[in-house]
Amino acid sequence: MSRLNVLSPDDVPDGTKRILDNVGAQLGFVPNMFATLASNPTVLEAVTTLQSTLGRVLDAKTRHTIALAVSQANGCDYCLAIHTYVSSELGGMSSDDIDLARAGSSIDPKRAAVARFAQQVVASRGQVSDADLAAVRGAGYTDPQILAIVTVAVQVLLTNFINNVNQTDINIPAVNSAGTPG
């Protein structure tokens, strides 16, 4: 059961309703995380603006891979469920690639390097080694792209922390042990 209060739909301010409507239009439903964030319109706007802005860095499968790898590293069941859903239903990722991303890998060698690097960023709290940087560079990532990888990882950490604190009720298909909706 979620531990933070959620506003009733009648109590959500108009500007916040528009944000929730946009999220619902994109995903086909409003995930409970966004309904929870609606109780603080500034935080909701910050999270959705950051997500929208970061939608312009890296390709979608790479961003999904980072989200899955980071959410697994943080043990965020809610984020694993939503990122599995989005990666599968909207991102075109196979269940095998979703499973691999959660494990810090990928069927694509370049994305595998990103998944490992993102999990290392989390595990080391950003104190990655020279070897970690060399590995992601060796996979073909430039320094500006590495900045994007770290920023996407931190954005995912933000929502992981919010959902872990809240123990947000999962209102999307749960993630089973195979990493697929079910």
Side-chain angles (χ1 to χ4, degrees):
M1 183 168 138
S2 293
R3 299 190 301 178
L4 301 176
N5 293 324
V6 177
L7 296 176
S8 73
D10 293 336
D11 293 332
V12 174
D14 287 339
T16 303
K17 283 181 187 175
R18 282 190 292 279
I19 293 172
L20 293 177
D21 289 345
N22 288 339
V23 169
Q26 287 179 324
L27 299 177
F29 68 101
V30 177
N32 280 340
M33 178 189 80
F34 294 100
T36 300
L37 293 178
S39 70
N40 187 324
T42 303
V43 173
L44 175 65
E45 183 178 4
V47 169
T48 57
T49 299
L50 183 58
Q51 288 177 335
S52 176
T53 300
L54 292 178
R56 299 190 306 259
V57 301
L58 307 167
D59 65 273
K61 284 186 179 180
T62 299
R63 291 190 317 273
H64 295 315
T65 297
I66 294 166
L68 289 160
V70 169
S71 296
Q72 181 70 42
N74 279 309
C76 184
D77 293 337
Y78 186 87
C79 291
L80 283 169
I82 189 69
H83 291 301
T84 295
Y85 174 83
V86 171
S87 297
S88 173
E89 299 300 314
L90 306 176
M93 289 178 70
S94 70
S95 60
D96 287 344
D97 208 15
I98 290 168
D99 291 346
L100 287 169
R102 291 179 60 184
S105 191
S106 173
I107 57 175
D108 175 87
K110 192 169 180 179
R111 284 200 324 265
V114 163
R116 282 189 300 275
F117 183 73
Q119 285 190 332
Q120 190 56 36
V121 167
V122 171
S124 70
R125 295 187 310 260
Q127 300 288 328
V128 297
S129 68
D130 290 342
D132 295 326
L133 277 173
V136 77
R137 283 181 178 135
Y141 288 97
T142 64
D143 287 359
Q145 290 171 318
I146 292 168
L147 290 172
I149 294 164
V150 172
T151 305
V152 170
V154 169
Q155 180 270 311
V156 175
L157 281 171
L158 170 64
T159 56
N160 285 176
F161 287 0
I162 288 168
N163 288 300
N164 281 342
V165 165
N166 186 35
Q167 296 178 0
T168 307
D169 290 331
I170 297 174
N171 65 328
I172 50 179
V175 177
N176 65 28
S177 61
T180 56

